[in-house]
């Protein structure tokens, strides 16, 4: 896993999704816009994808023509359509229309952070658990600078008496002294699967901290690993 900075393309994500479809003159049927995990075969083409509801769908057609590393997974924002039969029954297949960038990487232990721990403020629009990820949509005040995000693993505390492993995470955000001119959006998705072995059968409680324009927030979730991987 690459542990360098991860850059959110704040303006390009949703615009890129819509643009890729209109450019090819696709007319949308009833589609969803969600975070999903795409899975490639040995050619790098997407073969399957996993939704945050825990469904794995086979790709009937990928109109985005996305190619990633062979035999790998990637977290993306996608316009996709689950396919149904004539009687309305879901077939287990889906069509991907477009994909967009998501900041997604395993948290870095705080001891490995070089330099200052940047916590420039964001507005938390939404946060939710889904299929082995903690997902966030954040808003930042920006103009033309690049904003850097990463996820920090602050502490892991195991309570053997209670049978619980507490994972303390936080958001690193470096606004690079960008002018606070416009509100822009970034999609962030934190992988959690690596904590299954750390917990070793214990309940997993996640505490996620971030600095907002109204002050520091702490959001708590129970992480229940899926059986998808």
């Amino acid at each position: 896993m690459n542990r360098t900075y991860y850059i959110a393309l704040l303006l390009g994500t949703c615009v890129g999704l819509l643009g890729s479809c209109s450019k090819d003159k696709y007319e949308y049927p009833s589609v969803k816009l969600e975070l999903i995990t795409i899975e490639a075969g040995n050619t790098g083409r997407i073969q399957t994808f996993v939704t945050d509801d825990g469904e794995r769908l086979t790709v009937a057609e990928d109109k985005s023509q996305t190619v990633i590393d062979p035999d790998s997974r990637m977290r993306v924002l996608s316009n996709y359509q689950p396919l149904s039969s004539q009687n309305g029954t879901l077939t287990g297949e889906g069509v991907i229309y477009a994909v967009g960038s998501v900041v997604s990487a395993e948290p870095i232990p705080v001891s490995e952070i070089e330099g200052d721990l940047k916590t420039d403020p964001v507005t938390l629009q939404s946060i939710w658990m889904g299929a082995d990820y903690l997902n966030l949509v954040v808003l930042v005040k920006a103009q033309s600078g690049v904003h850097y995000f990463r996820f920090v693993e602050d502490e892991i505390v195991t309570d053997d008496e209670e049978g619980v492993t507490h994972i303390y995470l936080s958001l690193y955000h470096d606004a690079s002294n960008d002018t606070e001119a416009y509100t822009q959006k970034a999609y962030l998705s934190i992988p959690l699967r690596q904590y299954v072995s750390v917990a070793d059968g214990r309940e997993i409680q996640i505490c996620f901290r971030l600095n907002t324009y109204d002050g520091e927030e702490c959001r708590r979730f129970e992480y229940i690993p899926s059986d998808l991987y």
Side-chain angles (χ1 to χ4, degrees):
M1 179 67 67
N2 187 353
R3 289 190 166 184
T4 58
Y5 283 100
Y6 289 83
I7 303 172
L9 304 178
L10 298 171
L11 279 177
T13 302
C14 288
V15 173
L17 284 168
L18 298 176
S20 65
C21 293
S22 60
K23 179 177 64 179
D24 294 327
K25 298 182 180 179
Y26 293 135
E27 294 185 6
Y28 275 16
S30 178
V31 299
K32 298 183 178 183
L33 176 62
E34 294 180 349
L35 294 174
I36 62 173
T37 303
I38 56 176
E39 301 174 322
N42 57 17
T43 65
R45 297 286 184 182
I46 306 173
Q47 291 187 338
T48 55
F49 62 94
V50 177
T51 72
D52 268 7
D53 291 330
E55 294 181 287
R56 175 175 276 109
L57 301 180
T58 300
V59 176
E61 184 178 6
D62 175 17
K63 293 182 181 294
S64 73
Q65 296 295 303
T66 298
V67 178
I68 61 176
D69 290 339
D71 300 312
S72 68
R73 298 188 184 97
M74 180 179 289
R75 196 70 168 156
V76 299
L77 180 68
S78 178
N79 287 114
Y80 74 93
Q81 178 194 16
L83 296 181
S84 303
S85 61
Q86 289 185 345
N87 63 9
T89 303
L90 293 176
T91 64
E93 294 183 315
V95 175
I96 292 178
Y97 287 87
V99 298
S101 301
V102 174
V103 179
S104 185
E106 290 185 8
I108 303 171
V110 66
S111 60
E112 296 184 18
I113 297 292
E114 298 178 1
D116 295 333
L117 183 61
K118 300 287 188 179
T119 57
D120 290 329
V122 301
T123 295
L124 181 62
Q125 179 172 295
S126 57
I127 183 169
W128 71 99
M129 294 288 296
D132 298 302
Y133 289 86
L134 176 60
N135 306 301
L136 305 90
V137 180
V138 299
L139 307 176
V140 301
K141 296 176 181 178
Q143 187 174 62
S144 58
V146 176
H147 289 237
Y148 297 89
F149 293 93
R150 64 168 80 173
F151 310 115
V152 180
E153 181 186 286
D154 296 310
E155 189 177 14
I156 298 177
V157 177
T158 296
D159 186 334
D160 286 323
E161 184 175 340
E162 296 292 334
V164 178
T165 296
H166 297 275
I167 311 292
Y168 295 89
L169 306 175
S170 59
L171 179 64
Y172 179 110
H173 173 215
D174 181 1
S176 304
N177 297 314
D178 193 17
T179 301
E180 294 186 349
Y182 311 105
T183 298
Q184 301 184 33
K185 181 182 295 186
Y187 291 83
L188 316 176
S189 194
I190 309 172
L192 299 175
R193 190 73 187 181
Q194 68 276 9
Y195 294 117
V196 173
S197 59
V198 174
D200 193 24
R202 303 177 190 89
E203 178 184 316
I204 302 174
Q205 292 289 336
I206 304 292
C207 172
F208 184 75
R209 292 182 287 238
L210 71 165
N211 184 32
T212 74
Y213 292 100
D214 296 322
E216 184 175 285
E217 290 190 20
C218 175
R219 298 297 182 99
R220 296 181 181 273
F221 299 87
E222 180 181 0
Y223 167 45
I224 301 175
S226 75
D227 58 359
L228 295 167
Y229 306 110

